[in-house]
Amino acid sequence: MSYQNTYEQWKKEEFLDRELKTELENLSNNEAEREDAFSKPLEFGTAGMRGILGAGINRMNIYTVRQATEGLARFMENSSEASKSRGVAIAYDSRHKSPEFALEAAKTLARHGIPSYVFESLRPTPELSFAVRHLNALAGIMITASHNPANYNGYKVYGESGGQMAPKDADALTAYVRSVENPLQIDVVPEDEAKEKGLLQIIGKEVDDAYLQEIDTVTINRDLVREEGKDLKLVFTPLHGAGKMLGEKALEQAGFTGFTFVPEQSVADPDFTTVKSPNPEEHSAFEYAISLGEQKGADLLVATDPDADRMGVAVKMPDGTYKVLSGNQIGALMQDYILKARQEAGTLPGNAVVLKSIVSSELSTAIAEKYQTKMVSVLTGFKFIAEKIQEYQEDGSQTFLFGFEESYGYLVKPFVRDKDAIQALVLIAEVAAFYKQKGENLYDALEAIFEEFGNYQEKTISITMSGLEGSAKIATLMKQLREDPPATFGGANVVSTEDYKLQEKVHADGAVTTMETPSSDVLKYFLEDDSWIAARPSGTEPKIKFYIGVKAGSEEVAEEKIKTYSAAISEITNVTS
């Protein structure tokens, strides 16, 4: 069916949501927008789906949410009639339509006799991950678009382990979702009826309390926190999202009472009116926190994204200004502290393991080696860290101590199987307290790490290519990189290339070795100066990302390398796009 016919089908739908009807009328005079909204379904992949709010099969609305949930229900029914009675946990963040989408998912499941457990109000993504395991649910749904702009929302599916679905199950689920041809014709059970039948249950405090009880185990040195926690000056901003309530309770529970919220950003606001982007990766997201931090003389500033699975940190510099740390730097600080504290306490397991993504800093590997701890790199996406945790839990081969991604995602304890900004908030406060007791701060700690291991610097270049044309450009770029692989970057020779899609590592002499990681559309180049560059199309956004990692004897030399390789990447993308 052509996009024009699909558009007309939606216009003729008698019971279409009134707000969407108005939007359809507005699209009548905008052919480009109409084509984008109706030419193809919103992509549903291993991370679920994410898109712009609005009318159309390529938009987030109650009908595409029903379609995704109908696919999940069919997937669960195929698993077994008995297991589907375990139900689905559902949570949502502060975005536009998030509560409505959560209820639509529950009402769709109810039509199949599948019970759902819906949080009473907004909750962080990590608590949803926890709730799946805590409630012994068969699956979980999180309504969120993470740190995307305000006009986005999304739908993430979790498996019974509490992690996002493994590729095999995700592929099967995707097939079921795509088999639902017309999202307008999916029946749902009315909310009151679903509640009366016990198919829609509202949850809240009991799960919160259980989650916070586990959060209490994140603290490593209770004596330290007892001595320093009340004096640590911390400014916390949840960036208008779901992190406030549990973040506040977690800090107080641990013993940190000297923290202050950024008042303007502590209110749940789907428009994120005080920030250009509600993303702790963006330095501009710290504008309000920095202003308040300067007034309070804060030791550190912490920001969580709208669904509180990512955390960013800014530290006070010697001149009194604040510097926003990278995700890799935050990960290094937390990892070094965990391993050091566990070693000094005599509780560092002989089979300890740290997990990171393939595009995260190799500084983490160097730190792990110091403490004789195994480092394992996995594909980008926290579900791959969660898979490894589950594997280690089942075979007992390794003891998980820490996992992180460069994109500001961290996990300390595996009672959650996704990145957890609430855990990270508690731990980074403890790390700051540790250094404050020594008369230092996190900047001093990072400088000491660089002095010991070398100056590691990283950069991510994100190139947006929107619409159908953008998707084609990204595919063409990756194709050309494979067919005509670069031999050098910025004058440095490529000594080997890892192609995660073909699962091959090609060496400069032409030798090829097979890789054991799952297939993924990623290329990673290793250069003769110990630097590396990776190219990866985003799975959830219309972007292609290039990652650069370098090591040098000084910050100045490292930054010069970053500039050189950034220019080389710019040349490649300009030529091929």
Side-chain angles (χ1 to χ4, degrees):
M1 186 183 295
S2 69
Y3 76 87
Q4 294 98 329
N5 289 339
T6 306
Y7 169 72
E8 291 299 329
Q9 182 187 62
W10 277 57
K11 281 189 70 176
K12 293 175 183 176
E13 180 61 34
E14 182 179 357
F15 300 105
L16 192 75
D17 176 85
R18 185 180 303 172
E19 187 176 334
L20 295 181
K21 272 186 175 293
T22 301
E23 185 166 339
L24 287 174
E25 292 299 328
N26 294 335
L27 286 174
S28 62
N29 296 319
N30 191 328
E31 185 172 354
E33 282 290 316
R34 195 165 67 247
E35 181 179 5
D36 189 52
F38 287 93
S39 61
K40 66 175 183 177
L42 191 63
E43 186 173 339
F44 192 97
T46 56
M49 62 184 185
R50 189 182 301 178
I52 296 170
L53 290 158
I57 60 175
N58 191 31
R59 296 288 185 266
M60 284 294 300
N61 52 64
I62 63 172
Y63 303 105
T64 51
V65 167
R66 288 177 182 177
Q67 182 178 31
T69 311
E70 176 70 17
L72 175 61
R74 295 179 187 182
F75 172 82
M76 292 175 69
E77 288 174 332
N78 188 62
S79 299
S80 77
E81 280 294 321
S83 63
K84 81 174 189 179
S85 66
R86 291 164 55 189
V88 178
I90 304 176
Y92 55 92
D93 68 6
S94 60
R95 289 180 175 274
H96 287 292
K97 302 295 181 181
S98 283
E100 292 90 337
F101 290 169
L103 278 176
E104 289 299 328
K107 293 190 295 182
T108 305
L109 292 169
R111 179 62 68 186
H112 292 261
I114 299 173
S116 58
Y117 307 92
V118 183
F119 276 96
E120 62 190 0
S121 58
L122 73 164
R123 291 297 193 279
T125 288
E127 188 178 11
L128 182 278
S129 171
F130 169 78
V132 172
R133 293 163 56 81
H134 178 71
L135 299 170
N136 192 34
L138 189 63
I141 297 170
M142 183 69 202
I143 304 296
T144 179
S146 189
H147 54 278
N148 280 78
N151 61 332
Y152 277 74
N153 212 328
Y155 181 108
K156 295 166 68 173
V157 181
Y158 288 75
E160 61 183 323
S161 70
Q164 290 184 48
M165 280 194 169
K168 181 180 178 182
D169 286 342
D171 289 345
L173 171 59
T174 300
Y176 280 109
V177 173
R178 290 173 178 165
S179 71
V180 182
E181 294 183 359
N182 189 348
L184 301 176
Q185 296 180 349
I186 298 169
D187 290 332
V188 299
V189 174
E191 181 181 346
D192 290 342
E193 182 182 336
K195 287 180 176 178
E196 288 172 8
K197 293 180 176 179
L199 294 172
L200 171 51
Q201 300 180 39
I202 304 300
I203 59 174
K205 186 178 185 304
E206 185 274 329
V207 181
D208 295 340
D209 291 345
Y211 173 76
L212 286 167
Q213 186 175 351
E214 293 287 356
I215 286 286
D216 195 41
T217 68
V218 169
T219 299
I220 299 173
N221 189 334
R222 295 187 184 279
D223 291 338
L224 165 71
V225 175
R226 193 177 300 114
E227 293 168 10
E228 294 291 334
K230 64 183 182 299
D231 296 321
L232 182 73
K233 294 180 180 179
L234 184 155
V235 167
F236 174 38
T237 172
L239 296 177
H240 301 295
K244 182 181 186 296
M245 184 265 285
L246 287 176
E248 180 176 16
K249 290 183 177 180
L251 285 171
E252 290 176 343
Q253 172 180 268
F256 297 101
T257 54
F259 65 91
T260 306
F261 281 107
V262 175
E264 300 92 338
Q265 296 175 335
S266 296
V267 178
D269 175 7
D271 291 314
F272 310 115
T273 49
T274 66
V275 288
K276 292 179 181 177
S277 171
N279 184 356
E281 294 183 63
E282 303 287 345
H283 291 200
S284 60
F286 280 89
E287 180 184 352
Y288 281 69
I290 288 173
S291 177
L292 184 59
E294 290 171 346
Q295 294 174 35
K296 300 288 184 181
D299 298 303
L300 79 158
L301 320 175
V302 180
T304 55
D305 71 342
D307 64 323
D309 63 350
R310 299 171 192 252
M311 180 200 74
V313 170
V315 300
K316 186 186 288 186
M317 300 293 283
D319 63 359
T321 61
Y322 289 91
K323 177 181 176 64
V324 179
L325 300 184
S326 72
N328 284 310
Q329 291 169 342
I330 297 167
L333 285 165
M334 292 200 289
Q335 178 189 340
D336 184 65
Y337 177 77
I338 291 169
L339 299 182
K340 181 188 302 177
R342 294 289 293 265
Q343 185 181 72
E344 291 176 354
T347 59
L348 183 62
N351 66 344
V353 66
V354 172
L355 300 168
K356 72 174 186 66
S357 69
I358 58 173
V359 295
S360 297
S361 176
E362 288 304 318
L363 175 57
S364 181
T365 303
I367 293 171
E369 288 173 352
K370 174 187 176 180
Y371 295 98
Q372 298 180 318
T373 296
K374 185 175 183 178
M375 166 59 68
V376 175
S377 294
V378 298
L379 292 176
T380 303
F382 227 86
K383 60 181 172 290
F384 295 107
I385 291 177
E387 279 182 18
K388 280 293 182 184
I389 293 172
Q390 186 68 23
E391 176 187 320
Y392 299 146
Q393 179 181 305
E394 291 173 358
D395 65 20
S397 61
Q398 306 289 153
T399 299
F400 171 80
L401 289 189
F402 184 61
F404 84 100
E405 290 185 324
E406 45 71 43
S407 54
Y408 291 69
Y410 321 96
L411 182 64
V412 186
K413 289 295 186 77
F415 60 85
V416 166
R417 297 297 172 85
D418 203 348
K419 46 192 178 287
D420 188 342
I422 307 300
Q423 289 192 38
L425 168 66
V426 172
L427 180 65
I428 200 65
E430 181 178 344
V431 178
F434 171 77
Y435 286 103
K436 182 166 186 173
Q437 190 177 59
K438 297 172 62 176
E440 301 173 353
N441 65 15
L442 293 184
Y443 174 76
D444 299 317
L446 189 62
E447 287 288 287
I449 288 173
F450 284 154
E451 186 174 337
E452 180 176 2
F453 298 103
N455 199 289
Y456 287 77
Q457 298 289 338
E458 296 79 28
K459 181 179 180 180
T460 301
I461 300 171
S462 184
I463 303 171
T464 300
M465 298 182 181
S466 301
L468 299 175
E469 184 181 354
S471 297
K473 283 184 177 181
I474 291 171
T476 298
L477 175 54
M478 293 300 291
K479 182 173 183 287
Q480 290 180 356
L481 286 171
R482 286 191 168 90
E483 292 178 350
D484 185 18
T488 63
F489 281 92
N493 292 324
V494 175
V495 297
S496 64
T497 303
E498 291 180 344
D499 188 330
Y500 288 82
K501 185 174 184 179
L502 301 179
Q503 296 172 296
E504 293 180 346
K505 184 168 185 174
V506 181
H507 302 268
D509 61 3
V512 179
T513 54
T514 302
M515 298 167 60
E516 296 182 358
T517 52
S519 179
S520 181
D521 192 11
V522 181
L523 290 165
K524 188 171 183 180
Y525 306 93
F526 297 87
L527 310 183
E528 59 187 343
D529 66 347
D530 292 328
S531 300
W532 58 268
I533 293 171
R536 182 182 75 88
S538 172
T540 56
E541 301 171 275
K543 295 178 179 180
I544 182 168
K545 295 183 177 182
F546 287 87
Y547 304 82
I548 305 170
V550 304
K551 176 186 176 183
S554 69
E555 183 176 359
E556 292 75 21
V557 175
E559 288 180 348
E560 194 58 41
K561 285 187 176 185
I562 292 287
K563 288 180 182 177
T564 298
Y565 296 136
S566 296
I569 289 168
S570 194
E571 184 177 341
I572 288 172
T573 55
N574 284 338
V575 168
T576 55
S577 62

